[in-house]
Structures are given as C-alpha cells and as structure tokens.
Amino acid sequence: MEDFRRTYLRLCKEGGVEPQESVLAQLQETRGAAAGSRLDLRGHSLSVDTCAVLGRVLHKDTLFTELALSDCMLTEEGAKLLLNGLCANTTVKVLDLKGNNLRSTGAEALGKLLVRNKTLCRLVLEWNALGMWEEAFSVFCEGLATNACLTQLDLRNNQINHQGASELCLALKRNSTLQELDVRWNNIGLLGGRSFLEALQQNRTLTHLEMAGNNIPSDTLKALEQAMDHNSDRQSTMRESRSRTQVLSKEIQILKEEKGRQFLSLMETIDKQRDEMGRSTRTTSIHVGQLQEALNERKSVVNSLTAKFQMTEAALALSEQKNHDLGELLTRVKTEKDEQRERQTRERKKEQEDSVLREGKLLREMNSMSETNIQLKNKLEMMESRCKSQQDQIFELKQELTNSTAELKLRLAQAEERLEMEKKRSKHVHCGFVCESERALQDRILKLEGQRIQLEEELSRAKAACVTERAQAEEELGKVRVQVRLEEQQRVSGLEEKLRGLRQSRDESQSHCSQQKQTIAELQARSGQQSIETGGLRRRIEELQQELSGKDQEKVAEVSRVRVELQEQMGHLQAERTAQGGLKEKIAALEREMKVLASNHREAILDKESEISSLFEKLRLREAEIQRMREDEAQRASFLQNAILTYVQGSPLHYNPKK
C-alpha cells in the first residue's frame, strides 16, 4: 500500500497535478493492508487529473484485487482515462462503477476494457446510462462477446431498451464464460424478453439471470427461468462429468504408472534372471572345461598305460626270444646227447644192466621235463588270467567312459529342453527381449554341441585305441599259445622218438654192454658237465620268471593307481553333478517366481482393464443421459417456442391491452 501511495504522489508530481486529499486519506487508512486487498474510493468525487493518475498507477499495480469506485461522479473523460489504465492490469478481479452516470464514452471505454483485460471477473455498472446510446452500447456488447474471463455483470438501471437487449443477446450468443447477469429495472419489454429467450437457446453457460422490472410477460419470465434451470442443471452435470473425467483420467494415469512400474520390475527380474543364466552358463562352461581337462588327463593316463603295455610286450618278446635261444641251446644239447647216445647204444649192446640204469635216468629226465611242461602251462594260464584281468579293467574303463558320456549327453539334452522351455516362456512374456535371449541361447547350444561333438570324437578315438590294444593283446596271446603248443608237440615227438630209440638201443645195448663198461666213466663225467649246464639254464629261467613276476607286479600297481585316480575323478564329477543339481533347482525356483509374477501381473492388468471398462461404461451411460437431457431440453425449448409463437400469433384483442 505504501508503494501505491508513493507511486501516486510521484506521478502527481511528474504530471503537475495536485494530489487529491480524499484519495490520500483513503490510502492512509488502508496503509496496513496486505497484498490482495481492496481499494475503496466510494463516494469520493474524482477529478479528471486524479482519474488519469490513478489509471497510470493501476496500469502496473499488482496489489489490489478489488476496486470500488461507486458514486464517484466520474466524468466521461475521467472514466475513459481510468478504464484505459485498467486495460493492462493483471490483478483487479472486481470493478464497481455503480452510480457514475456513464454514457457513450464510458460504454466505449468499458467495451475496450472487456476486450483487452484478461483477469476481471465481476463488473458492477448499476445506475448508469449505458443503454441510451445505441452505438456505444453495441461497442460495449462487442467487447462482452469477445471477453473470456468475466463471470458476473450487473447492468441494473441502465435504461436498456429492446434494441439494447437484442445487442446484449447477440453478445450472449457468442460469450461462453458469463454466468450471472442482472438487467433489472430497464426497458427491455416483450421483444427484449424474446431476444433473451432466443439467446438462451444457444448460450449454455449463463445460469443466473435477473430480469424483474422490465415489462416482460410472466410466461416469458417462466420460460427464461426454465432455461436458466436447464443451464444450471447442465452446468452441474458438466461439472460432475468434468470431475468424473478428471478422476478417471487420474485413475488411468495411476494405472499407467502402476503398469509402467510393474513393467520395470518385470524387466529388472528378467535382467536379474538373465545375469543368473549368464553366471550359470559361465559356471557350466567352467565345469565343461574341467571335464575336458579330466578327459585329457584320462587320455594321457590311457596313453601312459598303452606305453607301459607296449613296454611289457617288448619285455615279453625279449623273454620269449631268450626262451627261444634257450630252446635252441637245449635242442643242440639234445642233439649232442642223441649223438652220444647213438655212440653209446652202439657201445652198450653188451651191457644191458647199464642200459636199464640209463633208461631209469632217462625216465626221470622225462618226468622232470613233464614237470617243466606243467610249470610252463601253469605260467601260460597265469598269463591268460592276467590278460583277462587287464581286459576286464579295460572293459570297466570303457564302461566308465560310456557312463560319463551318457551323463554328459543327458546334461546336454536337459539343457536343450530347458532352453526350449525358456524360449517358449520368453516368447509369451516380452517380444523385445526374445531375439537377444534366443541368440545367446543359440550360441550356448552351439558351444555345447561343439563340446559334445569333441567329447564323442575323443570317446571314439579312445574306443578305437582300446579295440586296437585288445586286438594286439589277443594276437600276442594267440602267438604265445601257438608257440607253446608247437614246443609241446616237438617235445612230445622228440620224447616218442627217444622212446623208440631207447627201445632200439636197449636191444643193441644188450649186445654191446660189455664193450661200454670202459666208456661209462667218461660218459658219467660228460653227464655231470651237462647236468651242471642244465642247472645254469634252469637258474637263468628262474631269473627270467622272477623278472616277469616283478613286471607283472609293477603292471598291477600301475593299474591300481590308475583305478584310484579314476575313482577320484569320478568323485569330482559326482560333486560337480550335485552342484549342477543345485543350479537346476535354483533355475526352477526362479522360473516358478517368474510364473507367479507373470500371473499376478496378468491378474492385475485384467482387474485394471475391467475397472477401466466399467468406468468407460459409466461414462457412456452418463453421456447418454446428458444427450437425453439435451434432447429433452431441445424438445422443451421447441415446445416453449411453439407455445410463445402460438401466444404471439393469437388474438390481438388479448395482446394490445398488455402492450
């Protein structure tokens, strides 16, 4: 308020105008008022200069929201200056110009004010003379038609006739914000009432109209009251529908926000599950790498076993070569013995007793040779049993490899089935993330297929190696058996030949027994030397047998060590299988959670959609009701218009006295 007073004094000083004491006194009284207060200058007679200064002050004022200038004896020029200043004001909402006898210039200034001002809501023009000048009042009505903020207008006692009423009604047809209009105590008459009734057929915002004291018939007033009631009902229904639409729009916005939050939460869960799947794929790739390393280790162990087996075969070949050499030595010794025996038989014909002794010795030697044959057979049986045990071990290794490959294939099949299930489920959840998940899963499937193919190739190679090793072992066993059988046949044939020769020599020895007595000592000496040589050969055979038994023990120890390593690897694989089972359980739990979230989301969406459909149905019913009310109003208005027309077109004997 103090700023307004200073501005008023400054502008008065600048314009060379003496400040009006009554205005200063009023400003002094309202100095302590806060912003948004009222400037009350009622009853103060304001000069033209004061009005000009006040117009300039109010041009930029942001303090007052209500301006009371009733009964201020404003001149036409002063009112024009004051209203021109209010054209650019943005805070005054109520303007009271009651009892200022405004006429043509004032009406034109008011029309300009209504065109330019965007904040004035109530205008009081009671006890003026705006309706006396038709052109000026038409300017005022034109400003009212273009105004978009005025809601209350008081035109009581303004000498408005039926022509001014028609101009005012034309403005009301174009105006869409005015709600209350007071035109009491004017000269509107029957024609003006009809103009108002016609205007209200187009104007739907005017809800309060006062028309008493205008010489309007009662039926026209009733028709106007009915139109006002229709407008008020329409406004109330419009307000209700607007509030309901606002509520519905808010609810729809809330639903959209909730859906957005649910979608974001679903996306977060999908991202978390995708991260979990990535971690699981990484862990599975790590496990597959570990399995690959274990397979490589097994392959190296199998290679080492094959190398050791080849070494043992080489040792066996060396031992067989040595045995062959010893057999050749024995055959040479036997040939020498046969030669000596032939010489002895020719010499022992005369000595049957000594030949009998020789036969006993030879029988003992045959028994010893049969024992050696039995021992060799036992050794062959032991070698065959060892080969069988090695074959059983190889078969167990093959079985374990087949079991591991079957487990890996089962894991791959389960992973593929889980991927297919995830593909099907992800297709229903969201189409935007299906392509990326499918590509990642296809890459994973391709990797797993490559690993499976590699494992199958390695298994096929291991199987081929085992088959070749088994074939080689069987071939070597067959060779050993053939050699042993040949040796046995040769020995048996040799023994039979010896028996036949001995029988012949027995017959000859009976005739040469006497001649060989002298050579017995020499033969005994030679036989002692030969026994010593055979003892050395036997010791050599025992040493070779000990070496073979040591190599067999080493082979058994190596096989047991490999078996222990395989058992440890199987334990690691079992632990990995349990870990993968835990991961599968976690994946199943996550899938169940996703299904629950999806079902909840679908249920919430269905509930919200049902609510929205019910609200839309309510809106449709409300709009139908409003349409029906409009049709009823139009029908009533047409009935009223027909009634008025029939009343107007009736007998003039009843109409002229009223006029």
Side-chain angles (χ1 to χ4, degrees):
M1 183 64 73
E2 186 64 27
D3 293 336
F4 186 86
R5 184 171 177 276
R6 283 200 217 95
T7 305
Y8 173 71
L9 292 173
R10 180 174 59 77
L11 291 175
C12 287
K13 186 176 180 181
E14 289 177 358
V17 179
E18 187 68 25
Q20 193 168 342
E21 293 297 331
S22 59
V23 175
L24 289 174
Q26 187 65 29
L27 292 174
Q28 188 69 29
E29 288 178 2
T30 57
R31 178 180 293 181
S37 61
R38 178 183 182 189
L39 179 59
D40 191 358
L41 296 176
R42 291 178 297 176
H44 298 285
S45 122
L46 301 177
S47 63
V48 176
D49 295 333
T50 303
C51 289
V53 173
L54 285 174
R56 292 175 64 188
V57 175
L58 292 170
H59 182 76
K60 297 181 179 179
D61 178 61
T62 58
L63 178 63
F64 297 109
T65 59
E66 186 175 353
L67 184 59
L69 298 174
S70 61
D71 300 323
C72 288
M73 301 297 290
L74 296 177
T75 62
E76 291 286 306
E77 188 65 25
K80 181 179 179 181
L81 293 171
L82 185 61
L83 293 173
N84 288 335
L86 286 171
C87 286
N89 188 277
T90 58
T91 56
V92 175
K93 295 183 178 180
V94 180
L95 178 60
D96 188 0
L97 293 174
K98 177 182 176 182
N100 284 297
N101 198 21
L102 298 177
R103 299 193 180 190
S104 61
T105 307
E108 292 176 355
L110 285 169
K112 184 179 178 182
L113 174 67
L114 292 175
V115 171
R116 297 176 62 183
N117 190 278
K118 304 299 180 183
T119 57
L120 190 63
C121 296
R122 184 183 178 194
L123 180 59
V124 180
L125 298 173
E126 186 182 0
W127 290 105
N128 286 290
L130 300 177
M132 293 179 66
W133 286 267
E134 295 179 359
E135 294 180 357
F137 190 71
S138 65
V139 173
F140 171 76
C141 292
E142 185 67 25
L144 179 63
T146 58
N147 186 270
C149 59
L150 190 67
T151 58
Q152 296 178 3
L153 178 61
D154 190 353
L155 292 174
R156 288 178 292 177
N157 293 302
N158 271 274
Q159 299 181 15
I160 301 171
N161 56 12
H162 66 279
Q163 294 179 354
S166 64
E167 293 289 336
L168 188 60
C169 290
L170 290 174
L172 289 175
K173 289 179 181 179
R174 296 166 58 189
N175 187 279
S176 61
T177 56
L178 189 64
Q179 297 177 0
E180 296 182 8
L181 177 62
D182 194 349
V183 291
R184 289 179 291 179
W185 311 111
N186 285 292
N187 296 320
I188 293 174
L190 177 61
L191 297 176
R194 291 177 181 175
S195 299
F196 271 101
L197 191 60
E198 184 180 357
L200 288 175
Q201 291 180 0
Q202 297 183 11
N203 188 291
R204 302 296 183 184
T205 57
L206 191 64
T207 59
H208 189 73
L209 178 62
E210 297 289 341
M211 298 190 69
N214 283 290
N215 295 323
I216 299 173
S218 60
D219 54 354
T220 306
L221 291 175
K222 288 181 181 179
L224 291 171
E225 288 178 359
Q226 288 178 359
M228 288 299 101
D229 293 336
H230 286 310
N231 284 342
S232 61
D233 293 338
R234 187 180 295 106
Q235 289 295 324
S236 63
T237 55
M238 289 295 289
R239 283 194 295 273
E240 289 178 359
S241 64
R242 194 176 295 112
S243 63
R244 288 179 181 177
T245 52
Q246 289 177 359
V247 170
L248 287 173
S249 62
K250 287 180 181 178
E251 289 181 356
I252 290 167
Q253 187 67 27
I254 290 167
L255 287 173
K256 287 181 179 179
E257 292 176 356
E258 187 175 358
K259 286 182 180 179
R261 287 194 297 271
Q262 290 177 357
F263 181 73
L264 291 174
S265 64
L266 184 61
M267 291 298 294
E268 288 177 357
T269 53
I270 288 168
D271 292 332
K272 290 179 181 178
Q273 289 176 358
R274 188 181 296 165
D275 296 334
E276 189 69 24
M277 287 175 68
R279 286 194 292 272
S280 66
T281 52
R282 287 194 292 273
T283 53
T284 52
S285 63
I286 291 167
H287 289 316
V288 169
Q290 292 177 357
L291 289 171
Q292 189 68 30
E293 292 178 355
L295 286 171
N296 292 326
E297 290 178 357
R298 286 184 182 179
K299 193 185 292 183
S300 63
V301 169
V302 170
N303 291 327
S304 64
L305 286 172
T306 53
K308 290 179 180 178
F309 189 71
Q310 290 175 359
M311 290 172 68
T312 53
E313 287 178 351
L316 286 170
L318 289 172
S319 64
E320 288 175 356
Q321 187 66 32
K322 290 178 180 179
N323 287 325
H324 184 66
D325 296 334
L326 290 171
E328 289 180 352
L329 289 172
L330 287 170
T331 53
R332 287 196 295 271
V333 169
K334 286 178 181 179
T335 54
E336 291 177 356
K337 283 183 178 181
D338 292 333
E339 291 175 356
Q340 291 176 1
R341 284 172 185 171
E342 288 177 355
R343 287 193 299 269
Q344 288 174 2
T345 53
R346 286 191 298 268
E347 293 175 356
R348 287 181 191 176
K349 288 180 181 180
K350 295 178 181 180
E351 297 177 355
Q352 291 181 353
E353 294 177 358
D354 295 333
S355 64
V356 171
L357 294 173
R358 288 281 303 277
E359 286 179 1
K361 289 180 181 179
L362 289 171
L363 288 171
R364 284 193 296 273
E365 287 178 358
M366 285 174 67
N367 292 324
S368 64
M369 291 297 288
S370 63
E371 288 176 358
T372 54
N373 286 325
I374 290 166
Q375 289 177 0
L376 288 171
K377 286 180 181 180
N378 292 326
K379 287 180 182 179
L380 282 172
E381 289 176 355
M382 289 174 67
M383 289 294 290
E384 287 178 354
S385 63
R386 287 175 185 174
C387 289
K388 286 181 181 179
S389 63
Q390 288 178 359
Q391 287 177 358
D392 294 332
Q393 290 174 2
I394 290 165
F395 180 76
E396 289 176 356
L397 290 171
K398 287 181 181 179
Q399 190 67 30
E400 289 176 354
L401 287 171
T402 53
N403 291 327
S404 62
T405 53
E407 288 177 355
L408 289 172
K409 287 180 180 178
L410 285 173
R411 290 178 187 172
L412 288 171
Q414 290 175 1
E416 288 175 354
E417 290 177 357
R418 189 170 62 253
L419 288 171
E420 291 295 328
M421 290 174 67
E422 289 177 354
K423 283 181 182 178
K424 292 179 182 178
R425 189 178 61 254
S426 61
K427 283 179 182 177
H428 295 287
V429 174
H430 196 269
C431 294
F433 297 96
V434 168
C435 295
E436 296 179 359
S437 63
E438 282 183 354
R439 286 196 295 272
L441 292 172
Q442 285 177 359
D443 295 334
R444 182 180 173 189
I445 289 165
L446 290 173
K447 291 180 181 177
L448 291 172
E449 286 290 331
Q451 293 175 2
R452 184 174 65 78
I453 290 165
Q454 291 178 0
L455 291 171
E456 287 178 355
E457 290 176 355
E458 290 175 358
L459 284 170
S460 63
R461 288 196 294 271
K463 286 179 181 178
C466 291
V467 169
T468 53
E469 290 173 0
R470 183 177 179 181
Q472 290 176 1
E474 288 177 355
E475 288 177 358
E476 290 171 358
L477 285 170
K479 290 178 181 179
V480 170
R481 287 174 181 173
V482 169
Q483 289 177 0
V484 170
R485 287 174 183 173
L486 290 172
E487 288 178 358
E488 286 179 356
Q489 290 176 358
Q490 289 176 0
R491 287 174 184 174
V492 170
S493 62
L495 290 171
E496 289 176 353
E497 290 176 357
K498 286 179 181 179
L499 285 171
R500 287 194 296 271
L502 287 171
R503 287 172 183 173
Q504 292 175 2
S505 64
R506 185 183 63 184
D507 296 332
E508 292 174 355
S509 63
Q510 289 177 1
S511 61
H512 295 285
C513 228
S514 59
Q515 295 178 3
Q516 295 294 330
K517 288 180 180 179
Q518 295 177 0
T519 58
I520 288 171
E522 296 176 359
L523 290 172
Q524 286 178 354
R526 289 178 182 178
S527 64
Q529 291 177 0
Q530 289 177 358
S531 63
I532 291 167
E533 289 177 358
T534 53
L537 291 172
R538 286 175 182 175
R539 284 193 299 273
R540 182 63 179 166
I541 289 167
E542 289 176 357
E543 290 175 357
L544 290 172
Q545 288 177 354
Q546 289 176 359
E547 288 179 0
L548 285 171
S549 63
K551 288 180 181 180
D552 291 333
Q553 290 176 359
E554 289 178 358
K555 183 188 265 186
V556 170
E558 187 67 25
V559 169
S560 62
R561 186 178 63 79
V562 170
R563 186 176 293 171
V564 170
E565 290 178 355
L566 288 173
Q567 288 177 357
E568 291 178 355
Q569 290 176 0
M570 289 296 290
H572 291 302
L573 289 171
Q574 189 68 27
E576 290 175 359
R577 185 185 294 172
T578 55
Q580 287 183 357
L583 289 172
K584 288 178 182 177
E585 290 177 356
K586 289 181 180 178
I587 290 166
L590 290 172
E591 289 177 352
R592 288 193 295 273
E593 290 179 0
M594 282 184 68
K595 288 180 180 177
V596 170
L597 289 172
S599 63
N600 292 330
H601 183 65
R602 285 196 295 273
E603 290 176 357
I605 288 170
L606 291 173
D607 293 335
K608 297 299 181 183
E609 287 179 353
S610 62
E611 290 178 2
I612 290 166
S613 62
S614 63
L615 291 172
F616 277 122
E617 185 67 23
K618 289 179 181 178
L619 273 174
R620 189 179 62 76
L621 294 172
R622 181 61 64 183
E623 288 176 355
E625 187 177 356
I626 291 166
Q627 186 67 26
R628 185 177 57 77
M629 290 174 68
R630 287 178 180 174
E631 291 175 356
D632 293 339
E633 288 174 1
Q635 191 175 3
R636 288 176 186 174
S638 65
F639 288 159
L640 184 60
Q641 188 176 3
N642 293 327
I644 292 166
L645 289 174
T646 55
Y647 178 76
V648 171
Q649 292 175 1
S651 177
L653 295 174
H654 298 285
Y655 179 75
N656 288 327
K658 288 183 180 180
K659 188 175 179 181

